[in-house]
Amino acid sequence: DGGITQSPKYLFRKEGQNVTLSCEQNLNHDAMYWYRQDPGQGLRLIYYSQIVNDFQKGDIAEGYSVSREKKESFPLTVTSAQKNPTAFYLCASSIAPSGGLGYTGELFFGEGSRLTVL
Amino acid sequence: GENVEQHPSTLSVQEGDSAVIKCTYSDSASNYFPWYKQELGKGPQLIIDIRSNVGEKKDQRIAVTLNKTAKHFSLHITETQPEDSAVYFCAASPRGGGSNYKLTFGKGTLLTVNP
């Protein structure tokens, strides 16, 4: 089945450690996104990528890094510079917006990764 | 930037009753308004969306209404069932002009349908 796979589902990290969350999609989507979800908060955009080898900062990029070396993969690294990393992280993908109309396509989400800093 | 306010934050209804969730947005350039449903431990899933050229859209027991003048839109669920229990997020997106789009999400509404 086509979809988005995030791993690991649960992750524990000690303070000062970097950790990488995996996101893989087989939907042949060009665009991929990372969101952070905190209790009582909406989804906040960390990074997004419209095409391979290109990515842009979202609203809360500080302390995070990404790469997009392959169309199907968009890993997120939570660095030690992220001051409050404990959260639920969601990866999503969509078809790329078409030009002119700024078409907005449906976001397809993975099941998330819950990171806890000990 | 865009600001999306969503109310209520929690909503409890009896099975069979209707549920209404309301959102307001600030950017008059926004023209796309999706609603996502997130079940416990899962990622959100699109359930319905509306664009600014229509005022209402229905899909079985779910409907969304849009008032561009007042800058608010609402999700209506009729004949609620226990499986409707989830967190619902509204979102708004401006016209991208050929570049990437950016969805701004509300903070979510936890809907509980009691049997």
Side-chain angles (χ1 to χ4, degrees):
Chain A
D1 285 359
I4 297 184
T5 302
Q6 288 186 241
S7 63
K9 199 171 181 68
Y10 299 95
L11 187 61
F12 298 89
R13 188 195 91 178
K14 293 182 180 179
E15 282 193 30
Q17 289 181 335
N18 292 354
V19 62
T20 297
L21 307 181
S22 171
C23 178
E24 303 278 330
Q25 55 100 359
N26 60 4
L27 299 169
N28 200 33
H29 286 165
D30 286 308
M32 297 188 74
Y33 313 81
W34 275 103
Y35 288 91
R36 171 177 171 144
Q37 184 176 16
D38 295 286
Q41 300 293 317
L43 305 176
R44 293 183 291 169
L45 184 65
I46 304 172
Y47 267 98
Y48 60 92
S49 170
Q50 301 279 57
I51 196 169
V52 174
N53 292 323
D54 184 59
F55 49 83
Q56 306 294 330
K57 292 181 178 180
D59 299 320
I60 55 166
E62 185 176 352
Y64 300 98
S65 66
V66 293
S67 63
R68 187 81 187 280
E69 298 176 0
K70 298 186 296 182
K71 185 176 183 178
E72 58 270 21
S73 179
F74 191 40
L76 173 74
T77 297
V78 184
T79 75
S80 56
Q82 169 50 235
K83 295 179 181 178
N84 186 20
T86 294
F88 189 56
Y89 292 88
L90 286 161
C91 179
S93 71
S94 74
I95 63 174
S98 59
L101 295 178
Y103 171 76
T104 300
E106 176 180 358
L107 286 171
F108 291 83
F109 286 90
E111 294 201 336
S113 293
R114 187 168 297 281
L115 172 63
T116 302
V117 174
L118 304 173
Chain B
E2 175 66 277
N3 181 46
V4 177
E5 299 282 343
Q6 183 172 347
H7 299 279
S9 57
T10 61
L11 179 60
S12 182
V13 300
Q14 288 300 121
E15 184 176 357
D17 288 350
S18 295
V20 180
I21 303 171
K22 299 181 179 180
C23 289
T24 60
Y25 62 98
S26 61
D27 189 348
S28 57
S30 288
N31 68 342
Y32 175 65
F33 308 93
W35 286 88
Y36 282 82
K37 174 184 180 183
Q38 185 179 27
E39 297 177 350
L40 188 64
K42 304 282 188 180
Q45 185 173 12
L46 179 70
I47 55 171
I48 195 168
D49 57 14
I50 191 168
R51 298 184 188 274
S52 60
N53 57 342
V54 297
E56 183 176 4
K57 184 177 178 181
K58 287 184 179 180
D59 183 3
Q60 299 182 354
R61 296 185 297 108
I62 293 173
V64 58
T65 58
L66 171 64
N67 183 328
K68 284 221 75 178
T69 302
K71 287 192 274 189
H72 67 71
F73 56 111
S74 300
L75 177 71
H76 304 254
I77 306 174
T78 58
E79 300 173 16
T80 54
Q81 301 169 2
E83 51 265 39
D84 294 328
S85 296
V87 177
Y88 291 81
F89 292 99
C90 63
S93 176
R95 185 176 291 270
S99 62
N100 56 281
Y101 73 90
K102 181 179 175 180
L103 276 174
T104 300
F105 286 87
K107 292 187 176 182
T109 296
L110 173 61
L111 172 64
T112 303
V113 180
N114 301 300

